[in-house]
Amino acid sequence: IFTVNGAFPKVDFTVVNASSLCSNNEISIQNLSSVNFGNITKAEIVWDFTNFPTNLVTDTFPDLGKTYRHQYPVFYGTTPKKYQIKMRAYSGQSCMDEIKKEVILYPAPFIIFNSPPRVCENIAPYLISGAYDSIKNNGRGYFKGSGIDSSGVFSPGKAGVGDHSLTYVFTTSNGCSDSAKRTISVLPLPEVHTGKQVVILEGGSALLPATAAGNGLVYAWSPSQFLND
């Protein structure tokens, strides 16, 4: 049994989400190759035909609608880069068709998020600073996490005592986004008890029954006058 292939195969593919491709995300293409009789027996893909024309990926089961993914090197800045994708489709061993398509990748933002200092649980809500896109792309950033709103106002009392993960997300006007995470620690307040009122005679002395509870405590009396320890 042998197969006589029909006309040469018709190679084609579509780039998924072609209008908003970012260097820090995978690019996906969908196989649309066809032949009027027989099967597409092999597909070859060159992801960067301009710079590396011999670096190809071969698939011997190139089903119609199959998706192929590739990660280009991540780059930053404000200038997009162009790549040429070349695809060949075979019917049998020698019947072949090929096509090239150009794609444009946009640079990714480069996020800086400085580690926030530890805070006490009774501190009033305040704005978290030190999170931004170092490239200064046009776009918008927002925060998410426990005790923080989208504008970056952190409420220690709302978050509660403990370690909390904060995330800053920045999306450029081209739709490319990146994020960074940092941990902020909310510390509990120490508990101080001074006991009941102490009454002593003039010239006498008494031990003030003060106690405190917490971790890593240090203490100081004030005013220091008339206190000897």
Side-chain angles (χ1 to χ4, degrees), residues 9-221:
K10 179 63 177 177
V11 65
D12 195 13
F13 66 89
T14 183
V15 180
V16 180
N17 199 25
S19 61
S20 57
L21 299 175
C22 305
S23 71
N24 59 338
N25 294 330
E26 286 186 332
I27 183 175
S28 299
I29 64 173
Q30 190 175 38
N31 179 31
L32 301 179
S33 303
S34 60
V35 66
N36 62 354
F37 182 77
N39 299 307
I40 301 296
T41 57
K42 183 175 67 173
E44 294 176 343
I45 302 171
V46 180
W47 291 101
D48 186 1
F49 182 73
T50 302
N51 299 303
F52 303 100
T54 60
N55 288 1
L56 56 86
V57 177
T58 302
D59 182 14
T60 55
F61 297 96
D63 297 330
L64 180 65
K66 190 172 183 178
T67 299
Y68 303 91
R69 295 179 174 85
H70 180 72
Q71 178 66 63
Y72 288 102
V74 179
F75 64 92
Y76 308 96
T78 57
T79 305
K81 290 184 179 181
K82 296 180 180 180
Y83 291 91
Q84 270 198 340
I85 301 175
K86 182 176 181 179
M87 185 175 188
R88 298 189 187 100
Y90 290 82
S91 175
Q93 296 297 319
S94 59
C95 300
M96 183 270 291
D97 188 23
E98 65 181 26
I99 191 174
K100 287 185 290 188
K101 291 186 179 182
E102 186 178 79
V103 294
I104 299 176
L105 265 65
Y106 293 97
F110 190 87
I111 303 302
I112 300 295
F113 190 178
N114 298 321
S115 296
R118 299 182 300 174
V119 295
C120 300
E121 62 177 324
N122 66 332
I123 295 297
Y126 66 98
L127 183 65
I128 293 288
S129 60
Y132 55 93
D133 171 30
S134 63
I135 309 299
K136 298 181 179 180
N137 287 290
N138 293 325
R140 177 182 176 272
Y142 67 92
F143 291 86
K144 60 182 180 179
S146 178
I148 195 169
D149 64 16
S150 61
S151 66
V153 176
F154 180 68
S155 302
K158 184 178 180 181
V161 173
D163 294 332
H164 304 281
S165 178
L166 305 181
T167 302
Y168 179 70
V169 182
F170 186 88
T171 303
T172 69
S173 57
N174 292 320
C176 298
S177 65
D178 198 7
S179 63
K181 290 184 178 182
R182 294 293 182 267
T183 299
I184 186 170
S185 298
V186 178
L187 306 178
L189 292 176
E191 297 181 4
V192 179
H193 303 279
T194 57
K196 296 180 180 180
Q197 182 177 359
V198 176
V199 179
I200 60 175
L201 296 176
E202 184 178 4
S205 63
L207 178 68
L208 302 180
T211 60
N215 297 321
L217 294 174
V218 295
Y219 70 90
W221 289 93

